Amino acid sequence: MTSRRIALVVNPTSGRGLGARVAPVVQRRLEAGGLDVDRYETTCAEDVGRISAEVVASGADGVALVGGDGTLHLGAQVLAESGMPFGVIPAGTGNDFARGLGVPLKDPVAAADLIVAGRTRAVDLAVAEGRFITTVVAGGFDSLVNKRANAMTWPKGNARYTLATLAELRTFTPLSYVLTVDGERIETDAMLVAVGTGPTYGGGLQICAGAEIDDGRLDITIIRPVSRLTLLQMFPKLSKGTHLGHPAVHTLRGATVRLESPTVTAYADGEILGPLPVDIGIAPGALTVYG
């Protein structure tokens, strides 16, 4: 019986060096599980897509990608619709795609075991601006927080999002939006609008609580205007998904979303997507994952 050949693609700088520390542990576990491992290391963001394309062309049986949501986003651009199984080894700040898949976040050996087991399933990706998106498109207060958090060098981990949230709250005012969901036009003022295939962003905030990553639908969450204090009080609820009972929170589901607001820059998978308007669609079952 021929053993499976896995390409281990490592972003050594993800998670402030966590990727480099995790990689040898994962490689040993994959090899102990009987897999042949070809290891690749990225030196810049552009490497992820190039290496992923090389892996697809090489005829490997699958890919294990060590990195955070930004790294996975780049890999997904090549691996989506390729049919090549894709294993996630979380090593970033947010790790929201891994969280949505149910991959163990703090146990790289357990994450590697999912690849060794070899079971696969197909999951959905959102599509916007010609790009595949693995988690959530953020537009509004949350995208401003994302921008600020990305620019911060301290503190590490999710605490960056907390500090960025407090900083943005000082000056934020509600925004005017036009949403078109499956052809139905909605005009509303809101603090934010989020559109995702999975439930979380920002390192575990369940903005689209209850979203299923393989149901062929986009989940939309609108937080209508509230006071700054109320918005601040909502953030702990976002971690648990209990914000959905708040009267200012409105949720929708659909296959296509057009999001418009004159001053908003959208973020997706924690990175800049571009200024609104943006059209978001769904690619059902676009990515094959281990787990």
Side-chain angles (χ1 to χ4, degrees):
M1 180 179 175
T2 304
S3 63
R4 285 188 294 142
R5 185 159 60 88
I6 296 291
L8 179 63
V9 182
V10 182
N11 179 353
T13 63
S14 63
R16 297 178 181 268
L18 180 60
R21 297 191 296 275
V22 161
V25 176
V26 172
Q27 182 167 354
R28 286 193 296 270
R29 181 66 194 97
L30 295 176
E31 290 173 342
L35 306 184
D36 292 331
V37 179
D38 297 324
R39 183 164 161 180
Y40 303 78
E41 288 208 0
T42 68
T43 57
C44 62
E46 290 72 23
D47 275 355
V48 178
R50 176 184 59 78
I51 291 171
S52 298
E54 288 178 9
V55 168
V56 171
S58 76
D61 294 299
V63 184
L65 192 48
V66 179
D69 286 324
T71 304
L72 299 175
H73 172 88
L74 293 168
Q77 305 313 304
V78 176
L79 295 169
E81 299 179 340
S82 72
M84 178 168 284
F86 176 32
V88 177
I89 309 294
T93 302
N95 298 318
D96 285 296
F97 184 53
R99 185 179 280 105
L101 293 176
V103 173
L105 300 184
K106 298 184 182 300
D107 188 344
V109 171
D113 282 342
L114 296 175
I115 300 168
V116 172
R119 290 185 295 274
T120 63
R121 62 187 177 114
V123 299
D124 305 335
L125 296 175
V127 183
E129 299 297 310
R131 289 153 65 180
F132 290 105
I133 295 156
T134 64
T135 57
V136 174
V137 176
F141 177 76
D142 46 359
S143 56
L144 293 172
V145 169
N146 205 321
K147 179 180 179 181
R148 184 180 288 268
N150 284 355
M152 294 166 64
T153 58
W154 181 91
K156 295 181 180 181
N158 294 348
R160 278 194 303 166
Y161 294 106
T162 301
L163 287 185
T165 297
L166 294 173
E168 287 298 331
L169 268 176
R170 292 178 302 180
T171 57
F172 185 79
T173 55
L175 301 163
S176 295
Y177 292 88
V178 177
L179 283 84
T180 307
V181 180
D182 291 348
E184 180 183 347
R185 180 184 169 95
I186 303 164
E187 296 184 23
T188 185
D189 289 345
M191 310 301 277
L192 63 86
V193 178
V195 181
T197 51
T200 74
Y201 67 179
L205 296 177
Q206 296 192 51
I207 188 66
C208 296
E212 297 178 3
I213 206 164
D214 58 359
D215 65 355
R217 307 287 278 174
L218 295 165
D219 283 68
I220 305 114
T221 298
I222 304 166
I223 299 184
R224 294 206 163 100
V226 293
S227 70
R228 292 172 188 163
L229 177 59
T230 298
L231 187 61
L232 184 61
Q233 290 170 336
M234 286 176 107
F235 268 78
K237 295 181 179 181
L238 285 172
S239 297
K240 301 174 184 177
T242 55
H243 62 293
L244 295 187
H246 194 282
V249 177
H250 185 56
T251 60
L252 300 162
R253 303 177 77 226
T256 63
V257 179
R258 181 173 175 83
L259 186 56
E260 302 175 63
S261 188
T263 62
V264 175
T265 297
Y267 276 65
D269 294 343
E271 307 295 331
I272 292 175
L273 182 63
L276 298 185
V278 66
D279 292 292
I280 308 164
I282 185 84
L287 197 62
T288 302
V289 297
Y290 290 108

